[in-house]
Amino acid sequence: MRRASVALACLVALGATGLQAAEELPMRRIANMFEPLSTPAHIIMESAYVVLIITFVIFVVVAGLLAYACIKFRAKPGDDGKEPPQIYGSSQIEMAWTVIPILITVVLIIVTARTIGQIQNAPMPENAVEVRVVGHQWWWEIHYPGYGVVTANEIHIPVSRKDAPRPTFLLLQSADVIHSFWVPQLAGKTDLVPNRDNRMWLDPHETGVYFGNCAEYCGTQHANMLLRVIVEEEADFEAWIKQQNTPAVVDASVDQGRHDFSTTSCVNCHNIKGLEVPAIGSGTGVFGPDLTHLMSRQTIGAGVADMNPENLRDWIKDPQNLKPGCLMPDMRLGKPELDSIVEYLSTLK
Ligand code: CUA
């Protein structure tokens, strides 16, 4: 009964914080750069068309000349078997095939440089949302420096409409190897390189859950380094930030689980804001995702499974089942600890 009322209170709270809306947003799984819904993605599509048109014209000219030569000078009955007259040292022809490709290359360089400048060196407007994304093998650490929020794998940002622009500026970093941030409908790929800060921005014109993934091979679970960008109305985004800023739920019915979590190796890698850890005081684990509001995320293991207590149990029992090769080991928890820890984590809305 107590649990039912806690669950009900949580549901009410979720509705009040706008998280309910996040579940009703349209799922945008399109991995197609020709259906952009954000200015940087538009700019990249336009540049892609310029490049495609230029290269298509080159293809038609080269293939046309080749076809013409093959047909016109093919072997015919009655040929004398000798080679046709050869032309050497025509400075007009040599100038033409040197200068024209140089001009074409210069045009392509200018188009590319302008696009990179617009996306990676753009000045950040006052009202922009700043997000720091750190790539890890094989998940995304996400910080909102302006709000003090830390989360993982799912980036909530506000919609940015023409009459009320609110872009999001990303700082991209890596904790280990090179990864690449790619949400096709929002922007092109930008690498996350160790010891380097890369920047880009997004301004989604429509709300929805945009699907993305790591686009640079980074090891065994590269294909399961998935990413979601949850684009909400301004008010829902602010409500989400407010909710993420609250310390973790302390539910007396899961005291055992909280104790088990804070006294096993879980706390070496995962932080839960507000959790008391014996001997250390508070959590400091940063090697794995922050779990303060774990259950407010849609997926587990960077998109490998839906977030629910059953999958969470499977994950903790042995992460290597759901995501072979991932860096979270099988902790060999006994059944009582496994049950209590899953119960505890399931309260972290
Ligand atoms: Cu990270 Cu591929």
Side-chain angles (χ1 to χ4, degrees), residues 159-328:
V159 66
S160 180
R161 299 217 163 84
K162 280 216 171 67
D163 48 344
R166 181 105 201 262
T168 296
F169 275 64
L170 302 176
L171 170 60
L172 303 168
Q173 300 171 326
S174 170
D176 37 45
V177 298
I178 300 177
H179 304 272
S180 182
F181 183 98
W182 189 35
V183 185
Q185 283 195 284
L186 298 184
K189 301 167 184 172
T190 304
D191 281 2
L192 299 88
V193 182
N195 298 319
R196 194 188 147 81
D197 291 348
N198 278 343
R199 284 166 212 279
M200 74 183 302
W201 61 284
L202 320 162
D203 66 338
H205 304 321
E206 287 174 35
T207 58
V209 179
Y210 293 77
F211 285 65
N213 46 272
C214 180
E216 178 76 48
Y217 182 72
C218 54
T220 316
Q221 281 294 341
H222 156 71
N224 279 326
M225 188 167 168
L226 305 174
L227 175 67
R228 289 183 182 199
V229 178
I230 297 158
V231 179
E232 300 166 298
E233 295 296 343
E234 182 93 31
D236 290 328
F237 169 72
E238 298 294 345
W240 178 81
I241 286 285
K242 208 173 151 204
Q243 186 264 343
Q244 296 287 310
N245 248 327
T246 56
V249 173
V250 180
D251 180 340
S253 71
V254 291
D255 275 345
Q256 183 60 44
R258 191 164 36 247
H259 174 264
D260 291 344
F261 184 92
S262 61
T263 51
T264 55
S265 355
C266 306
V267 282
N268 292 338
C269 295
H270 298 282
N271 189 26
I272 294 179
K273 225 192 282 175
L275 177 72
E276 284 188 24
V277 179
I280 310 179
S282 62
T284 50
V286 289
F287 193 68
D290 184 294
L291 303 180
T292 309
H293 298 284
L294 176 68
M295 297 311 281
S296 71
R297 297 177 203 151
Q298 299 176 351
T299 65
I300 188 169
V304 91
D306 286 340
M307 177 63 81
N308 58 48
E310 296 76 56
N311 288 342
L312 184 59
R313 192 174 199 287
D314 276 0
W315 177 266
I316 299 169
K317 187 157 180 273
D318 185 4
Q320 304 300 320
N321 273 336
L322 279 168
K323 200 163 174 173
C326 84
L327 299 186
M328 176 165 162

Side-chain angles (χ1 to χ4, degrees), residues 60-123:
V60 168
V61 170
V62 172
L65 286 173
L66 186 64
Y68 171 79
C70 288
I71 294 164
K72 177 105 201 270
F73 300 108
R74 71 188 187 279
K76 296 185 199 84
D79 277 351
D80 55 9
K82 288 190 193 134
E83 290 209 341
Q86 304 291 304
I87 303 164
Y88 293 103
S90 160
S91 36
Q92 277 113 323
I93 293 178
E94 288 185 5
M95 280 299 278
W97 74 41
T98 308
V99 172
I100 295 173
I102 288 176
L103 291 178
I104 294 171
T105 312
V106 167
V107 169
L108 293 177
I109 289 172
I110 291 171
V111 169
T112 311
R114 191 190 59 177
T115 307
I116 291 173
Q118 283 171 317
I119 294 168
Q120 300 191 350
N121 302 329

